Amino acid sequence: MSISSEHKPLGKQVTGSLHMLSPIVELNVGGEMYTTTLSTLKKHPGSKLAEMFTGQPKLRTDSEGRFFIDRPGTYFKYILEYLRSNQVPTQCIQDVYKEALFYDIEPLIKQLEDSPQIFGELVARRQFLARVPNYSENIELMIRIARAEAVASRQSSVIVCVVRTEEDAARCQDALNSLDMDKKSVVKFGPWKAVPSISDLLDCIQMDVEAKGYKISFQPHVADKGFRFKSHDFFYKFLFTWW
């Protein structure tokens, strides 16, 4: 008995044209299975998703012959719902935004950027942090110092100096010279020219360190007696808890 069609092996590259493809398409997106139409996937011709199903595809298929996309499948349902009905998701906004960027669906990207969550992050918080010199580098420096101090300890601490103005920066330097500690281990943030306060920046630091998977808290750093300045005006202790 002859076999009319070959079984598609795992990971087989699809090299033929999609002109003869069924209008109904089965997808395996990161282990999540979806069924939709070719026209839905190609709704926005300039998108990366449309290009996946146009002309010579560069897609692979799984063992069942479903087109495989190596992306988080959980959030693809929101992408698909938008393509089907123009419904902008109201859940998992940050994660859906990442997927919209990957698939390059420009209308969805723009609408998500207008949402409070993305607008607040991209336009407000990120624009502020862009005005804080060496912000990202200082976050990484904090983590390196904390990890170096974590040997056989439940917690390790990092002293942070935060100054908003040039005048405070000069005062902070004088205060730093009075500290009886390794000055290289003090991470300095600022100054900056923007509305947000020192407490706002401290919250941003905590938020971004926690986003990297660390458990962290902070409190004003009180120096020993005899310190010439109010140390809590500038200095804060960030505690990393390891277990």
Side-chain angles (χ1 to χ4, degrees):
M1 181 177 179
S2 62
I3 300 176
S4 58
S5 60
E6 293 185 5
H7 176 68
K8 296 181 180 179
L10 178 63
K12 180 178 179 180
Q13 181 98 19
V14 179
T15 56
S17 172
L18 280 168
H19 291 307
M20 302 302 294
L21 186 66
S22 167
I24 307 300
V25 180
E26 292 187 346
L27 301 173
N28 177 345
V29 185
E32 298 283 341
M33 310 307 167
Y34 294 94
T35 302
T36 187
T37 65
L38 189 59
S39 59
T40 295
L41 297 172
K42 297 171 65 175
K43 183 174 181 179
H44 297 285
S47 70
K48 182 176 179 180
L49 184 61
E51 291 178 357
M52 290 179 180
F53 296 91
T54 302
Q56 296 291 332
K58 297 180 180 179
L59 294 171
R60 294 184 179 274
T61 58
D62 64 13
S63 59
E64 300 298 323
R66 292 173 292 233
F67 289 103
F68 179 73
I69 301 176
D70 194 13
R71 295 294 295 179
T74 304
Y75 310 114
F76 189 74
K77 64 182 178 182
Y78 300 108
I79 299 293
L80 202 54
E81 185 61 32
Y82 176 78
L83 295 175
R84 287 168 172 165
S85 60
N86 290 322
Q87 180 176 330
V88 179
T90 57
Q91 303 177 47
C92 309
I93 300 297
Q94 298 280 358
D95 294 302
V96 176
Y97 179 66
K98 293 177 184 177
E99 297 310 296
L101 288 173
F102 173 78
Y103 294 114
D104 196 19
I105 304 173
E106 193 64 30
L108 178 56
I109 291 171
K110 291 181 178 179
Q111 290 183 70
L112 288 173
E113 287 178 348
D114 284 336
S115 69
Q117 297 94 323
I118 303 298
F119 179 87
E121 175 67 18
L122 296 181
V123 177
R125 199 175 84 92
R126 284 295 159 190
Q127 288 298 316
F128 158 52
L129 295 178
R131 301 185 183 190
V132 180
N134 304 314
Y135 177 81
S136 297
E137 293 84 349
N138 283 340
I139 292 292
E140 296 301 326
L141 177 58
M142 286 180 62
I143 293 172
R144 288 200 301 271
I145 293 173
R147 291 175 67 93
E149 298 293 330
V151 178
S153 300
R154 183 174 186 180
Q155 290 183 322
S156 54
S157 63
V158 179
I159 304 301
V160 168
C161 174
V162 183
V163 292
R164 185 175 177 181
T165 67
E166 294 289 350
E167 292 78 9
D168 283 345
R171 293 177 61 206
C172 177
Q173 188 59 50
D174 289 339
L176 188 59
N177 291 334
S178 300
L179 278 176
D180 184 19
M181 63 181 301
D182 182 4
K183 299 174 181 60
K184 292 182 180 179
S185 66
V186 178
V187 182
K188 178 185 172 185
F189 287 85
W192 64 87
K193 295 180 180 180
V195 173
S197 65
I198 286 177
S199 63
D200 294 325
L201 180 65
L202 292 170
D203 287 340
C204 287
I205 294 172
Q206 182 174 13
M207 184 185 306
D208 288 329
V209 173
E210 288 181 339
K212 295 179 180 292
Y214 296 91
K215 184 178 180 181
I216 189 174
S217 61
F218 67 88
Q219 61 193 38
H221 175 62
V222 180
D224 296 334
K225 293 180 179 180
F227 190 60
R228 291 187 296 156
F229 297 89
K230 292 181 179 179
S231 58
H232 58 268
D233 286 346
F234 306 116
F235 296 97
Y236 298 84
K237 179 185 290 186
F238 278 80
L239 291 172
F240 287 71
T241 301
W242 303 104
W243 50 273

